[in-house]
Amino acid sequence: MSDNRIEIAPSILSADFSIIRNEISEIEECGAKYLHIDVMDGVFVPQITFGPKFIKDIRPHSDLFFDAHLMITAPENHLEAFIDAGCDCITIHQESCIHLNRALNFIKDRGVKCGISIVPSTPVSAIIPVLDIVDLVLVMTVNPGYGGQKLIQSCMDKVVELNELRSSEDYGYLISVDGGVNLDTVQDVVAAGADIAVVGSAYFNAIDKAAFLERMHSLARESFH
Ligand code: DX5
Ligand code: ZN
C-alpha cells in the first residue's frame, strides 16, 4: 500500500461510456492506480453492463490496475475470456459460484490475482474456506447492481472481522469495500481496516475529480492516525 493508506478505485459503472477513453485517462491523470470494472449480466444483478471484449478494447489505452468485479452467474464459464482481456485481478461472488476453490485457483494459475466478494446478506463465515488462497476480499456495502446507493452500515462489521482474521491467521488478502463510499463514509471504511475503497458516483459526480481524490486521501490519512 502507498502512504495514502488506502487506494481509491474509481468504478467505471458511473462513467459516461460514450467517452470512456477520456474518462479512464482522467482517472489515471488524477493519480489513481486502480480501475474498478463492474461486469453485470442482468441475472445475478438486475443491470447489464458489458463483457470481456469491452475490457480487451480499453486495455491497451491504460496502465491502471484492472480490478474486474464479476457480478455474473456461473463466472467459471467466462474466466478464460476475462483473463485473455487483460484483467489484473478478477473477483467473483461466493453466491454465484459453487466450485469456488476451483474457480479461484483457475484464475491464480493463470498468473492473475483472484478475489472473492460477498453481498450484504452473506456472512464472512461463507468464505473462510477460501481466505487462504485469495488476493482480495471485496465486501459489498450495498446490494450489488446499481451505483449511487447508501452504504449499509452493518456490513462494516464484516470488514472489521476480515481485518482481524487477516492478522490472527496471517492471511495475505487485501480488503476492498464497494458501495456508498464517499467523503462522509471513507473514514469509517479506513478505520474498519480496508485497503481499497471503490468509489463510483461520488467520484464521477465530483466537479473537480483530482481535488475530490485528494480530499478522500486526506480524510483517510486523518482516520488512520
Ligand atoms: C455496485 C457496484 C459498485 C458501484 C459503486 O453493484 O459493484 O462498484 O459502482 O457505486 P457507488 O460508489 O456509487 O456506490
Ligand atoms: Zn463493484
Side-chain angles (χ1 to χ4, degrees):
M1 287 285 89
S2 69
D3 288 346
N4 286 324
R5 297 295 173 197
I6 195 153
E7 294 290 351
I8 307 290
S11 164
I12 53 169
L13 181 62
S14 296
D16 180 345
F17 290 175
S18 71
I19 49 161
I20 199 64
R21 271 176 71 176
N22 302 351
E23 300 272 55
I24 294 171
S25 302
E26 191 174 18
I27 290 169
E28 215 156 347
E29 283 155 21
C30 288
K33 308 267 184 302
Y34 282 69
L35 184 70
H36 185 83
I37 303 173
D38 285 308
V39 179
M40 301 184 175
D41 67 352
V43 179
F44 181 64
V45 289
Q47 280 205 90
I48 299 174
T49 53
F50 45 74
K53 181 178 185 300
F54 174 80
I55 300 175
K56 194 171 191 163
D57 286 354
I58 59 175
R59 179 71 278 188
H61 305 289
S62 174
D63 291 327
L64 290 164
F65 184 94
F66 276 20
D67 168 32
H69 176 193
L70 304 192
M71 285 165 277
I72 63 176
T73 46
E76 61 274 21
N77 295 340
H78 306 278
L79 295 176
E80 191 74 64
F82 284 101
I83 291 166
D84 180 54
C87 298
D88 294 299
C89 180
I90 298 177
T91 295
I92 58 178
H93 268 266
Q94 183 275 339
E95 303 84 6
S96 74
C97 181
I98 295 170
H99 302 294
L100 264 187
N101 180 287
R102 180 191 289 155
L104 291 165
N105 276 312
F106 181 88
I107 301 168
K108 236 178 147 71
D109 289 348
R110 302 300 168 100
V112 174
K113 296 207 181 300
C114 66
I116 183 72
S117 185
I118 46 176
V119 304
S121 58
T122 302
V124 168
S125 58
I127 54 169
I128 283 183
V130 297
L131 286 182
D132 60 333
I133 55 173
V134 292
D135 300 292
L136 180 90
V137 181
L138 179 69
V139 179
M140 290 299 310
T141 42
V142 295
N143 289 297
Y146 302 99
Q149 303 179 80
K150 192 173 179 305
L151 182 144
I152 300 169
Q153 197 57 41
S154 59
C155 297
M156 296 305 292
D157 295 345
K158 292 193 270 183
V159 180
V160 173
E161 192 180 345
L162 283 160
N163 194 27
E164 285 169 1
L165 268 174
R166 174 165 61 177
S167 302
S168 63
E169 304 296 322
D170 211 18
Y171 291 137
Y173 51 77
L174 295 175
I175 303 171
S176 182
V177 170
D178 187 6
V181 185
N182 53 39
L183 292 170
D184 295 329
T185 55
V186 68
Q187 291 197 312
D188 285 351
V189 168
V190 174
D195 308 287
I196 301 166
V198 175
V199 182
S201 52
Y203 168 84
F204 282 99
N205 289 339
I207 308 283
D208 183 340
K209 296 182 170 58
F212 169 79
L213 286 185
E214 191 41 57
R215 184 79 189 120
M216 290 287 274
H217 283 301
S218 124
L219 287 167
R221 279 192 295 271
E222 273 172 33
S223 176
F224 190 80
H225 290 119

